[in-house]
Amino acid sequence: MEESKLRELLNSLSIEEKIGQLIQLSGEFFSAKDISVGPQKKLGITKDAVELCGSVLNVVGAKETHRIQDAYLKGKKHPIPLIFMSDIVYGFRTIYPIPLGLGATWNPDLIQKAYRNTAEEAYASGNQVTFAPMVDLARDARWGRSLESTGEDPYLNSRFAASMVKGLQEDLPKYGLVSCVKHFAAYGAVESGREYNATDMSENRLRQYYLPSYKAAVDAGAKMVMSSFNTLNGVPVTGNKWLLKDILRKEWNFDGVIISDYAAIAELVAHGFAKDNQEASKLALEATVDIDMKSPCYANELKPLVTEGKLDESKIDNAVWRVLKLKNDLGLFEDPYRGSSEELEKKLIMTPEKRELAKKVSTEAMVLLKNENNMLPLDKNKKVALIGPYENEHELLGLWAVHGDRKATVTIEDGFKKYLNSDNLFTSKGTDILRNKSIFRSMGLNSEQIDHVVSSKEIEEKNNEDAIETARKADIIVFAAGEHTIESGEAGSRGNLTLPDNQLELLDKLSKLNKPIILICISGRPLILTDVEPKVSAIIEAWFPGTEGGNALADIIFGKSNPSGRLSMSFPYAVGQLPIYYSQFSTGRSVKTSTHSSRFMSKYIDIPNDPLYSFGYGLSYSKVKYSNLRLSSKELEMTDNLIASIDVTNMSDRNTTEVVQMYIQDKFASVVQPVKSLKGFERVTLNPNETKTVNFEINKKMLSFYGLDNKLTVEPGEFNIFIGPNSDVEDFATFNLK
Ligand code: NOJ
């Protein structure tokens, strides 16, 4: 529709119709035959508000979305189509590894393709918007939503944020999905890693480390932003004018739609920020939150605010305009189904090509953390016992794959069977995922929803014994262990980050057999593997690996693929280190450089400072040598660029992909800078014994930081450049910026 017509439409709407566009309700409001009855009462909004609501949350499927759209449009004075928005976070039906695994690929181009495929599946199925990517910086593994993040580094996260947005939106307006980047802002820094908690940090820290990934998503064209649940320095984000208006809209020129997180407007009252829902609605709307996701606030309060003269109606008009514009840009007025159909679903969803890409992503996401005596890859002629609760488990998708097809998941056993015949493969679960039922009960789940839990001591003992007997028959034990799906993701914060007790006990028993053990770790976060590590010969961090997880794992374990995943979030040594990240400040008394006597340094007295596995770390089956680090010049003019180069040599007889990482340290600055910050990386594929030179162009932008005035600045002086295989790299070259 032409923009002038859209304006006319806006001007012809009643205040109720306008407010309707600013309300989002979930599927339950639409699945009843008569949409006016039932659950809306729980929310406490009127039948009219439900009927006028402009967008739907988490309903998918061409048939269902068409049914709802048809019923909705029927008899409407102004038939403005509904817009369907869903959580399609890392795959729609074909599920990729969790984003922490996507981060470990260090391959934003590949992930762009994955998100494009995801958008295509979801578009066919009647969705127009996804609440993705989630780009929160995650440095505290206690936070369950680390699962949804690409990790701890602003630069790496920004690269992924941009690629995900581009992938989702690249076929717009006709195909693909609108990307709603979330959770703006700094949600990853919730205190103590506890979900929905407060964040508090200086503006300087916010700008330098926490905002860049959202900015990258907005710069890549994300058409929507979700405001986060947390307070930031005492002000809840959903009512935070400074963040939403001054930074997001004015500084960053964002003119798309802002949606609140689920019920976050009403929660402004619970935060102690607004005295009631009416004040909450005013604060949120004035902060330019356009859509109220699943709270009664806008539905009940906006009209009284206007009629009582407390809110200028033009503010509502502005919000409605942004929503109408989004619908119009997507062509919904011309085709409210936007081309989706059941035929298209059959054609586009879970095609062999899409599954193949998912397998590739899953393979690249896996991180080989340990490989003592080159235990891996396994020889197909060896006898293998595949033990553990994830041995033949379909639940490999992780908590936020809400629309994923679990039945279509390739299990680890399925994957192994492609390499081993029944004479060489023995399997036994040995135990369930968890023993502790109280986690489920505290989440309000009933006994039917409690699965993968040890049902009795007797059964547990029998399962353990069976596993031991099975393991005895084999040369090598592969232990497929991990967290339960409900232990990570939203509201999955944990205080203990080890594998479940029952799995640890089984591992202890298995280790007494004195056979090599390979640990496959399924998890939604970095777990603490400190006590497990000495008991096993090899560790593969597989995350929740997605639909093709079993195939990807088998290809790695049997050597068809050479692992190339590198951690994008540190694996702590102990919970007491959290939050932990490589780009720390040196402090006045760094253990690495201090000349003070041993006690009076910045350290713990009972655990090391360093994580068990650092950011950027990951092994392959090849040894790669880094040599000859050099700079094109030791002096750099502000207006110039400089080239840093290194030679990388594959010392093995198999092809390998090395993630060459470049870090910079600004040695002295008016606001102190981290000991190292990632500024570039390159995935380099090397043939056996091949050497390649990798060059990085160093420019002024890479050397900038937020100064005391919270503006980007560059200061002359000395910089160190580190190039190597992970953030522990020690070799550096120095140049002087004039
Ligand atoms: C709450 C979550 O925080 C957010 O990530 C999600 O998009 C919404 N619920 C909608 O399901």
Side-chain angles (χ1 to χ4, degrees), residues 24 57-58 86-89 130-132 134 145 148 180 182-183 187 195-196 226-229 260-263 293 400 402 490:
Q24 176 159 111
L57 167 65
N58 274 336
S86 291
D87 288 294
I88 298 159
V89 185
T130 171
F131 298 126
M134 185 284 217
R145 305 197 85 162
E148 290 173 65
C180 175
K182 67 187 185 188
H183 307 87
Y187 191 34
E195 186 72 304
Y196 314 126
M226 185 186 290
S227 66
S228 52
F229 283 128
S260 75
D261 203 341
Y262 197 103
M293 185 197 288
W400 260 120
V402 279
E490 183 172 351

PDB file of all heavy atoms in Angstrom, residues 24 57-58 86-89 130-132 134 145 148 180 182-183 187 195-196 226-229 260-263 293 400 402 490, ligand 1:
ATOM      1  N   GLN A  24       0.144  -7.573  21.933  1.00  0.00           N
ATOM      2  CA  GLN A  24       0.488  -8.916  21.432  1.00  0.00           C
ATOM      3  C   GLN A  24      -0.003  -9.970  22.424  1.00  0.00           C
ATOM      4  O   GLN A  24       0.278  -9.892  23.611  1.00  0.00           O
ATOM      5  CB  GLN A  24       1.994  -9.067  21.260  1.00  0.00           C
ATOM      6  CG  GLN A  24       2.374 -10.472  20.845  1.00  0.00           C
ATOM      7  CD  GLN A  24       3.739 -10.542  20.192  1.00  0.00           C
ATOM      8  OE1 GLN A  24       4.659 -11.082  20.749  1.00  0.00           O
ATOM      9  NE2 GLN A  24       3.865  -9.996  19.005  1.00  0.00           N
ATOM     10  N   LEU A  57       1.738 -14.240  19.313  1.00  0.00           N
ATOM     11  CA  LEU A  57       3.016 -14.767  19.793  1.00  0.00           C
ATOM     12  C   LEU A  57       3.047 -16.296  19.708  1.00  0.00           C
ATOM     13  O   LEU A  57       2.157 -16.972  20.227  1.00  0.00           O
ATOM     14  CB  LEU A  57       3.195 -14.322  21.255  1.00  0.00           C
ATOM     15  CG  LEU A  57       4.286 -14.963  22.093  1.00  0.00           C
ATOM     16  CD1 LEU A  57       5.660 -14.628  21.549  1.00  0.00           C
ATOM     17  CD2 LEU A  57       4.175 -14.519  23.546  1.00  0.00           C
ATOM     18  N   ASN A  58       4.078 -16.776  19.056  1.00  0.00           N
ATOM     19  CA  ASN A  58       4.407 -18.216  19.061  1.00  0.00           C
ATOM     20  C   ASN A  58       3.324 -19.157  18.550  1.00  0.00           C
ATOM     21  O   ASN A  58       3.145 -20.254  19.087  1.00  0.00           O
ATOM     22  CB  ASN A  58       4.875 -18.644  20.460  1.00  0.00           C
ATOM     23  CG  ASN A  58       6.364 -18.398  20.619  1.00  0.00           C
ATOM     24  OD1 ASN A  58       7.097 -18.350  19.622  1.00  0.00           O
ATOM     25  ND2 ASN A  58       6.823 -18.228  21.840  1.00  0.00           N
ATOM     26  N   SER A  86       7.382 -15.128  16.478  1.00  0.00           N
ATOM     27  CA  SER A  86       7.712 -16.334  17.261  1.00  0.00           C
ATOM     28  C   SER A  86       9.164 -16.347  17.714  1.00  0.00           C
ATOM     29  O   SER A  86       9.998 -15.632  17.165  1.00  0.00           O
ATOM     30  CB  SER A  86       7.498 -17.585  16.400  1.00  0.00           C
ATOM     31  OG  SER A  86       6.149 -17.783  16.159  1.00  0.00           O
ATOM     32  N   ASP A  87       9.409 -17.217  18.668  1.00  0.00           N
ATOM     33  CA  ASP A  87      10.793 -17.458  19.099  1.00  0.00           C
ATOM     34  C   ASP A  87      11.406 -18.519  18.203  1.00  0.00           C
ATOM     35  O   ASP A  87      11.242 -19.720  18.425  1.00  0.00           O
ATOM     36  CB  ASP A  87      10.813 -17.943  20.548  1.00  0.00           C
ATOM     37  CG  ASP A  87      10.472 -16.834  21.512  1.00  0.00           C
ATOM     38  OD1 ASP A  87      11.256 -15.882  21.611  1.00  0.00           O
ATOM     39  OD2 ASP A  87       9.402 -16.910  22.151  1.00  0.00           O
ATOM     40  N   ILE A  88      12.082 -18.056  17.190  1.00  0.00           N
ATOM     41  CA  ILE A  88      12.764 -18.988  16.286  1.00  0.00           C
ATOM     42  C   ILE A  88      14.234 -18.623  16.438  1.00  0.00           C
ATOM     43  O   ILE A  88      14.789 -17.810  15.712  1.00  0.00           O
ATOM     44  CB  ILE A  88      12.226 -18.799  14.853  1.00  0.00           C
ATOM     45  CG1 ILE A  88      10.724 -19.133  14.853  1.00  0.00           C
ATOM     46  CG2 ILE A  88      12.978 -19.674  13.861  1.00  0.00           C
ATOM     47  CD1 ILE A  88       9.954 -18.546  13.710  1.00  0.00           C
ATOM     48  N   VAL A  89      14.814 -19.180  17.460  1.00  0.00           N
ATOM     49  CA  VAL A  89      16.075 -18.622  17.958  1.00  0.00           C
ATOM     50  C   VAL A  89      17.304 -19.240  17.275  1.00  0.00           C
ATOM     51  O   VAL A  89      18.265 -18.542  16.961  1.00  0.00           O
ATOM     52  CB  VAL A  89      16.145 -18.771  19.500  1.00  0.00           C
ATOM     53  CG1 VAL A  89      17.383 -18.087  20.063  1.00  0.00           C
ATOM     54  CG2 VAL A  89      14.910 -18.158  20.165  1.00  0.00           C
ATOM     55  N   THR A 130      10.830 -13.090  13.853  1.00  0.00           N
ATOM     56  CA  THR A 130      11.407 -13.938  14.897  1.00  0.00           C
ATOM     57  C   THR A 130      12.084 -13.088  15.971  1.00  0.00           C
ATOM     58  O   THR A 130      12.707 -12.066  15.671  1.00  0.00           O
ATOM     59  CB  THR A 130      12.429 -14.957  14.353  1.00  0.00           C
ATOM     60  OG1 THR A 130      13.062 -15.577  15.485  1.00  0.00           O
ATOM     61  CG2 THR A 130      13.495 -14.332  13.486  1.00  0.00           C
ATOM     62  N   PHE A 131      11.954 -13.531  17.198  1.00  0.00           N
ATOM     63  CA  PHE A 131      12.633 -12.864  18.310  1.00  0.00           C
ATOM     64  C   PHE A 131      14.067 -13.378  18.361  1.00  0.00           C
ATOM     65  O   PHE A 131      14.449 -14.176  19.221  1.00  0.00           O
ATOM     66  CB  PHE A 131      11.882 -13.114  19.617  1.00  0.00           C
ATOM     67  CG  PHE A 131      10.482 -12.558  19.593  1.00  0.00           C
ATOM     68  CD1 PHE A 131       9.394 -13.347  19.883  1.00  0.00           C
ATOM     69  CD2 PHE A 131      10.257 -11.236  19.247  1.00  0.00           C
ATOM     70  CE1 PHE A 131       8.112 -12.841  19.846  1.00  0.00           C
ATOM     71  CE2 PHE A 131       8.972 -10.714  19.194  1.00  0.00           C
ATOM     72  CZ  PHE A 131       7.891 -11.515  19.489  1.00  0.00           C
ATOM     73  N   ALA A 132      14.828 -12.969  17.420  1.00  0.00           N
ATOM     74  CA  ALA A 132      16.222 -13.396  17.290  1.00  0.00           C
ATOM     75  C   ALA A 132      16.941 -12.385  16.385  1.00  0.00           C
ATOM     76  O   ALA A 132      16.269 -11.733  15.576  1.00  0.00           O
ATOM     77  CB  ALA A 132      16.297 -14.792  16.682  1.00  0.00           C
ATOM     78  N   MET A 134      19.454 -13.292  19.702  1.00  0.00           N
ATOM     79  CA  MET A 134      19.704 -12.863  21.064  1.00  0.00           C
ATOM     80  C   MET A 134      21.201 -12.567  21.103  1.00  0.00           C
ATOM     81  O   MET A 134      22.000 -13.453  20.808  1.00  0.00           O
ATOM     82  CB  MET A 134      19.331 -14.004  22.013  1.00  0.00           C
ATOM     83  CG  MET A 134      19.408 -13.682  23.476  1.00  0.00           C
ATOM     84  SD  MET A 134      21.096 -13.641  24.074  1.00  0.00           S
ATOM     85  CE  MET A 134      20.927 -14.343  25.667  1.00  0.00           C
ATOM     86  N   ARG A 145      20.699 -18.503  30.219  1.00  0.00           N
ATOM     87  CA  ARG A 145      20.537 -17.990  28.868  1.00  0.00           C
ATOM     88  C   ARG A 145      21.860 -17.793  28.144  1.00  0.00           C
ATOM     89  O   ARG A 145      21.874 -17.315  27.008  1.00  0.00           O
ATOM     90  CB  ARG A 145      19.748 -16.689  28.899  1.00  0.00           C
ATOM     91  CG  ARG A 145      18.450 -16.871  29.596  1.00  0.00           C
ATOM     92  CD  ARG A 145      17.494 -15.777  29.320  1.00  0.00           C
ATOM     93  NE  ARG A 145      16.784 -16.052  28.095  1.00  0.00           N
ATOM     94  CZ  ARG A 145      15.637 -15.441  27.760  1.00  0.00           C
ATOM     95  NH1 ARG A 145      15.121 -14.535  28.558  1.00  0.00           N
ATOM     96  NH2 ARG A 145      15.033 -15.723  26.648  1.00  0.00           N
ATOM     97  N   GLU A 148      21.719 -19.019  24.746  1.00  0.00           N
ATOM     98  CA  GLU A 148      21.206 -18.265  23.589  1.00  0.00           C
ATOM     99  C   GLU A 148      22.197 -17.250  23.054  1.00  0.00           C
ATOM    100  O   GLU A 148      21.910 -16.546  22.091  1.00  0.00           O
ATOM    101  CB  GLU A 148      19.950 -17.488  23.993  1.00  0.00           C
ATOM    102  CG  GLU A 148      18.743 -18.320  24.269  1.00  0.00           C
ATOM    103  CD  GLU A 148      17.622 -17.463  24.833  1.00  0.00           C
ATOM    104  OE1 GLU A 148      17.116 -16.584  24.128  1.00  0.00           O
ATOM    105  OE2 GLU A 148      17.263 -17.652  26.006  1.00  0.00           O
ATOM    106  N   CYS A 180      14.014  -9.497  15.195  1.00  0.00           N
ATOM    107  CA  CYS A 180      13.828  -8.672  16.397  1.00  0.00           C
ATOM    108  C   CYS A 180      14.991  -8.982  17.330  1.00  0.00           C
ATOM    109  O   CYS A 180      15.026 -10.040  17.970  1.00  0.00           O
ATOM    110  CB  CYS A 180      12.497  -9.007  17.069  1.00  0.00           C
ATOM    111  SG  CYS A 180      12.253  -8.141  18.620  1.00  0.00           S
ATOM    112  N   LYS A 182      17.371  -8.991  20.501  1.00  0.00           N
ATOM    113  CA  LYS A 182      17.046  -8.940  21.931  1.00  0.00           C
ATOM    114  C   LYS A 182      18.267  -9.314  22.746  1.00  0.00           C
ATOM    115  O   LYS A 182      19.238  -9.817  22.179  1.00  0.00           O
ATOM    116  CB  LYS A 182      15.900  -9.894  22.236  1.00  0.00           C
ATOM    117  CG  LYS A 182      16.228 -11.399  22.066  1.00  0.00           C
ATOM    118  CD  LYS A 182      14.992 -12.244  22.214  1.00  0.00           C
ATOM    119  CE  LYS A 182      15.334 -13.717  22.168  1.00  0.00           C
ATOM    120  NZ  LYS A 182      14.163 -14.581  22.126  1.00  0.00           N
ATOM    121  N   HIS A 183      18.271  -9.121  24.045  1.00  0.00           N
ATOM    122  CA  HIS A 183      17.317  -8.382  24.860  1.00  0.00           C
ATOM    123  C   HIS A 183      18.025  -7.083  25.182  1.00  0.00           C
ATOM    124  O   HIS A 183      19.006  -7.116  25.933  1.00  0.00           O
ATOM    125  CB  HIS A 183      17.001  -9.115  26.149  1.00  0.00           C
ATOM    126  CG  HIS A 183      16.561 -10.546  25.932  1.00  0.00           C
ATOM    127  ND1 HIS A 183      17.426 -11.606  25.832  1.00  0.00           N
ATOM    128  CD2 HIS A 183      15.313 -11.085  25.779  1.00  0.00           C
ATOM    129  CE1 HIS A 183      16.747 -12.732  25.644  1.00  0.00           C
ATOM    130  NE2 HIS A 183      15.466 -12.449  25.603  1.00  0.00           N
ATOM    131  N   TYR A 187      21.327  -7.457  29.212  1.00  0.00           N
ATOM    132  CA  TYR A 187      20.633  -8.489  29.986  1.00  0.00           C
ATOM    133  C   TYR A 187      21.605  -9.583  30.443  1.00  0.00           C
ATOM    134  O   TYR A 187      21.402 -10.220  31.471  1.00  0.00           O
ATOM    135  CB  TYR A 187      19.501  -9.075  29.125  1.00  0.00           C
ATOM    136  CG  TYR A 187      18.537  -9.947  29.875  1.00  0.00           C
ATOM    137  CD1 TYR A 187      18.216  -9.675  31.202  1.00  0.00           C
ATOM    138  CD2 TYR A 187      17.938 -11.050  29.264  1.00  0.00           C
ATOM    139  CE1 TYR A 187      17.324 -10.471  31.895  1.00  0.00           C
ATOM    140  CE2 TYR A 187      17.044 -11.848  29.951  1.00  0.00           C
ATOM    141  CZ  TYR A 187      16.743 -11.559  31.274  1.00  0.00           C
ATOM    142  OH  TYR A 187      15.866 -12.354  31.953  1.00  0.00           O
ATOM    143  N   GLU A 195      18.515 -15.227  36.644  1.00  0.00           N
ATOM    144  CA  GLU A 195      17.546 -14.773  35.635  1.00  0.00           C
ATOM    145  C   GLU A 195      16.641 -13.659  36.167  1.00  0.00           C
ATOM    146  O   GLU A 195      16.244 -13.673  37.334  1.00  0.00           O
ATOM    147  CB  GLU A 195      16.712 -15.988  35.203  1.00  0.00           C
ATOM    148  CG  GLU A 195      15.764 -15.720  34.055  1.00  0.00           C
ATOM    149  CD  GLU A 195      16.466 -15.548  32.714  1.00  0.00           C
ATOM    150  OE1 GLU A 195      17.342 -14.679  32.604  1.00  0.00           O
ATOM    151  OE2 GLU A 195      16.130 -16.283  31.777  1.00  0.00           O
ATOM    152  N   TYR A 196      16.322 -12.729  35.308  1.00  0.00           N
ATOM    153  CA  TYR A 196      15.431 -11.587  35.574  1.00  0.00           C
ATOM    154  C   TYR A 196      16.005 -10.617  36.608  1.00  0.00           C
ATOM    155  O   TYR A 196      15.301  -9.748  37.098  1.00  0.00           O
ATOM    156  CB  TYR A 196      14.019 -12.045  36.029  1.00  0.00           C
ATOM    157  CG  TYR A 196      13.419 -13.151  35.197  1.00  0.00           C
ATOM    158  CD1 TYR A 196      12.956 -14.330  35.782  1.00  0.00           C
ATOM    159  CD2 TYR A 196      13.314 -13.021  33.819  1.00  0.00           C
ATOM    160  CE1 TYR A 196      12.416 -15.355  35.007  1.00  0.00           C
ATOM    161  CE2 TYR A 196      12.776 -14.051  33.035  1.00  0.00           C
ATOM    162  CZ  TYR A 196      12.336 -15.214  33.639  1.00  0.00           C
ATOM    163  OH  TYR A 196      11.802 -16.223  32.882  1.00  0.00           O
ATOM    164  N   MET A 226      13.764  -5.903  20.998  1.00  0.00           N
ATOM    165  CA  MET A 226      13.013  -6.234  22.210  1.00  0.00           C
ATOM    166  C   MET A 226      13.707  -5.618  23.413  1.00  0.00           C
ATOM    167  O   MET A 226      14.916  -5.779  23.582  1.00  0.00           O
ATOM    168  CB  MET A 226      12.937  -7.761  22.388  1.00  0.00           C
ATOM    169  CG  MET A 226      12.063  -8.192  23.564  1.00  0.00           C
ATOM    170  SD  MET A 226      12.134  -9.981  23.857  1.00  0.00           S
ATOM    171  CE  MET A 226      11.259 -10.590  22.437  1.00  0.00           C
ATOM    172  N   SER A 227      12.929  -4.939  24.241  1.00  0.00           N
ATOM    173  CA  SER A 227      13.521  -4.377  25.460  1.00  0.00           C
ATOM    174  C   SER A 227      13.619  -5.487  26.499  1.00  0.00           C
ATOM    175  O   SER A 227      12.788  -6.387  26.549  1.00  0.00           O
ATOM    176  CB  SER A 227      12.656  -3.237  25.991  1.00  0.00           C
ATOM    177  OG  SER A 227      11.406  -3.733  26.423  1.00  0.00           O
ATOM    178  N   SER A 228      14.661  -5.395  27.324  1.00  0.00           N
ATOM    179  CA  SER A 228      14.936  -6.518  28.229  1.00  0.00           C
ATOM    180  C   SER A 228      14.203  -6.373  29.559  1.00  0.00           C
ATOM    181  O   SER A 228      13.688  -5.321  29.898  1.00  0.00           O
ATOM    182  CB  SER A 228      16.449  -6.633  28.452  1.00  0.00           C
ATOM    183  OG  SER A 228      16.974  -5.395  28.861  1.00  0.00           O
ATOM    184  N   PHE A 229      14.199  -7.465  30.325  1.00  0.00           N
ATOM    185  CA  PHE A 229      13.503  -7.524  31.612  1.00  0.00           C
ATOM    186  C   PHE A 229      14.210  -6.735  32.727  1.00  0.00           C
ATOM    187  O   PHE A 229      13.582  -6.349  33.693  1.00  0.00           O
ATOM    188  CB  PHE A 229      13.483  -8.983  32.102  1.00  0.00           C
ATOM    189  CG  PHE A 229      12.483  -9.874  31.428  1.00  0.00           C
ATOM    190  CD1 PHE A 229      12.880 -11.090  30.875  1.00  0.00           C
ATOM    191  CD2 PHE A 229      11.138  -9.548  31.396  1.00  0.00           C
ATOM    192  CE1 PHE A 229      11.963 -11.949  30.296  1.00  0.00           C
ATOM    193  CE2 PHE A 229      10.211 -10.406  30.818  1.00  0.00           C
ATOM    194  CZ  PHE A 229      10.625 -11.612  30.266  1.00  0.00           C
ATOM    195  N   SER A 260       8.110  -4.977  24.036  1.00  0.00           N
ATOM    196  CA  SER A 260       8.587  -5.310  25.388  1.00  0.00           C
ATOM    197  C   SER A 260       8.842  -6.806  25.444  1.00  0.00           C
ATOM    198  O   SER A 260       8.306  -7.559  24.633  1.00  0.00           O
ATOM    199  CB  SER A 260       7.511  -4.980  26.419  1.00  0.00           C
ATOM    200  OG  SER A 260       6.485  -5.960  26.375  1.00  0.00           O
ATOM    201  N   ASP A 261       9.625  -7.250  26.397  1.00  0.00           N
ATOM    202  CA  ASP A 261       9.658  -8.692  26.642  1.00  0.00           C
ATOM    203  C   ASP A 261       8.352  -9.063  27.355  1.00  0.00           C
ATOM    204  O   ASP A 261       7.583  -8.199  27.791  1.00  0.00           O
ATOM    205  CB  ASP A 261      10.906  -9.105  27.445  1.00  0.00           C
ATOM    206  CG  ASP A 261      11.249 -10.580  27.212  1.00  0.00           C
ATOM    207  OD1 ASP A 261      10.363 -11.329  26.751  1.00  0.00           O
ATOM    208  OD2 ASP A 261      12.391 -10.991  27.496  1.00  0.00           O
ATOM    209  N   TYR A 262       8.144 -10.358  27.486  1.00  0.00           N
ATOM    210  CA  TYR A 262       6.884 -10.925  27.962  1.00  0.00           C
ATOM    211  C   TYR A 262       6.459 -10.346  29.324  1.00  0.00           C
ATOM    212  O   TYR A 262       7.147 -10.554  30.325  1.00  0.00           O
ATOM    213  CB  TYR A 262       7.100 -12.427  28.088  1.00  0.00           C
ATOM    214  CG  TYR A 262       5.890 -13.293  28.190  1.00  0.00           C
ATOM    215  CD1 TYR A 262       5.443 -14.032  27.101  1.00  0.00           C
ATOM    216  CD2 TYR A 262       5.201 -13.416  29.385  1.00  0.00           C
ATOM    217  CE1 TYR A 262       4.346 -14.865  27.198  1.00  0.00           C
ATOM    218  CE2 TYR A 262       4.101 -14.238  29.487  1.00  0.00           C
ATOM    219  CZ  TYR A 262       3.685 -14.957  28.393  1.00  0.00           C
ATOM    220  OH  TYR A 262       2.601 -15.784  28.496  1.00  0.00           O
ATOM    221  N   ALA A 263       5.377  -9.597  29.308  1.00  0.00           N
ATOM    222  CA  ALA A 263       4.801  -9.013  30.533  1.00  0.00           C
ATOM    223  C   ALA A 263       5.707  -7.977  31.200  1.00  0.00           C
ATOM    224  O   ALA A 263       5.456  -7.575  32.337  1.00  0.00           O
ATOM    225  CB  ALA A 263       4.418 -10.096  31.542  1.00  0.00           C
ATOM    226  N   MET A 293       3.986  -6.952  24.963  1.00  0.00           N
ATOM    227  CA  MET A 293       3.856  -8.402  24.828  1.00  0.00           C
ATOM    228  C   MET A 293       3.221  -8.978  26.086  1.00  0.00           C
ATOM    229  O   MET A 293       3.795  -8.931  27.167  1.00  0.00           O
ATOM    230  CB  MET A 293       5.233  -9.049  24.596  1.00  0.00           C
ATOM    231  CG  MET A 293       5.151 -10.549  24.337  1.00  0.00           C
ATOM    232  SD  MET A 293       6.721 -11.397  24.541  1.00  0.00           S
ATOM    233  CE  MET A 293       7.624 -10.853  23.128  1.00  0.00           C
ATOM    234  N   TRP A 400      15.443 -23.693  23.850  1.00  0.00           N
ATOM    235  CA  TRP A 400      14.740 -22.686  23.051  1.00  0.00           C
ATOM    236  C   TRP A 400      14.375 -23.140  21.644  1.00  0.00           C
ATOM    237  O   TRP A 400      13.933 -22.329  20.831  1.00  0.00           O
ATOM    238  CB  TRP A 400      15.532 -21.373  23.003  1.00  0.00           C
ATOM    239  CG  TRP A 400      14.972 -20.385  23.996  1.00  0.00           C
ATOM    240  CD1 TRP A 400      15.647 -19.822  25.039  1.00  0.00           C
ATOM    241  CD2 TRP A 400      13.641 -19.864  24.068  1.00  0.00           C
ATOM    242  NE1 TRP A 400      14.809 -18.993  25.755  1.00  0.00           N
ATOM    243  CE2 TRP A 400      13.572 -19.004  25.177  1.00  0.00           C
ATOM    244  CE3 TRP A 400      12.474 -20.050  23.315  1.00  0.00           C
ATOM    245  CZ2 TRP A 400      12.409 -18.314  25.550  1.00  0.00           C
ATOM    246  CZ3 TRP A 400      11.314 -19.374  23.683  1.00  0.00           C
ATOM    247  CH2 TRP A 400      11.299 -18.514  24.784  1.00  0.00           C
ATOM    248  N   VAL A 402      11.792 -24.318  20.506  1.00  0.00           N
ATOM    249  CA  VAL A 402      10.408 -24.648  20.853  1.00  0.00           C
ATOM    250  C   VAL A 402       9.591 -25.195  19.685  1.00  0.00           C
ATOM    251  O   VAL A 402       8.613 -25.878  19.894  1.00  0.00           O
ATOM    252  CB  VAL A 402       9.671 -23.442  21.484  1.00  0.00           C
ATOM    253  CG1 VAL A 402      10.003 -23.300  22.936  1.00  0.00           C
ATOM    254  CG2 VAL A 402       9.958 -22.141  20.746  1.00  0.00           C
ATOM    255  N   GLU A 490      15.978 -20.102  29.248  1.00  0.00           N
ATOM    256  CA  GLU A 490      15.318 -19.104  30.105  1.00  0.00           C
ATOM    257  C   GLU A 490      14.963 -19.709  31.459  1.00  0.00           C
ATOM    258  O   GLU A 490      14.463 -20.826  31.553  1.00  0.00           O
ATOM    259  CB  GLU A 490      14.053 -18.565  29.434  1.00  0.00           C
ATOM    260  CG  GLU A 490      13.421 -17.476  30.288  1.00  0.00           C
ATOM    261  CD  GLU A 490      12.273 -16.738  29.619  1.00  0.00           C
ATOM    262  OE1 GLU A 490      12.049 -16.930  28.418  1.00  0.00           O
ATOM    263  OE2 GLU A 490      11.605 -15.967  30.324  1.00  0.00           O
TER     264      GLU A 490
HETATM  265  C1  NOJ B   1      10.585 -14.169  27.254  1.00  0.00           C
HETATM  266  C2  NOJ B   1      11.985 -14.238  26.759  1.00  0.00           C
HETATM  267  O1  NOJ B   1      12.825 -13.495  27.606  1.00  0.00           O
HETATM  268  C3  NOJ B   1      12.167 -13.749  25.328  1.00  0.00           C
HETATM  269  O2  NOJ B   1      13.459 -14.070  24.913  1.00  0.00           O
HETATM  270  C4  NOJ B   1      11.145 -14.351  24.429  1.00  0.00           C
HETATM  271  O3  NOJ B   1      11.321 -13.877  23.115  1.00  0.00           O
HETATM  272  C5  NOJ B   1       9.768 -14.015  24.946  1.00  0.00           C
HETATM  273  N1  NOJ B   1       9.606 -14.560  26.281  1.00  0.00           N
HETATM  274  C6  NOJ B   1       8.652 -14.549  24.050  1.00  0.00           C
HETATM  275  O4  NOJ B   1       8.531 -15.908  24.173  1.00  0.00           O
END
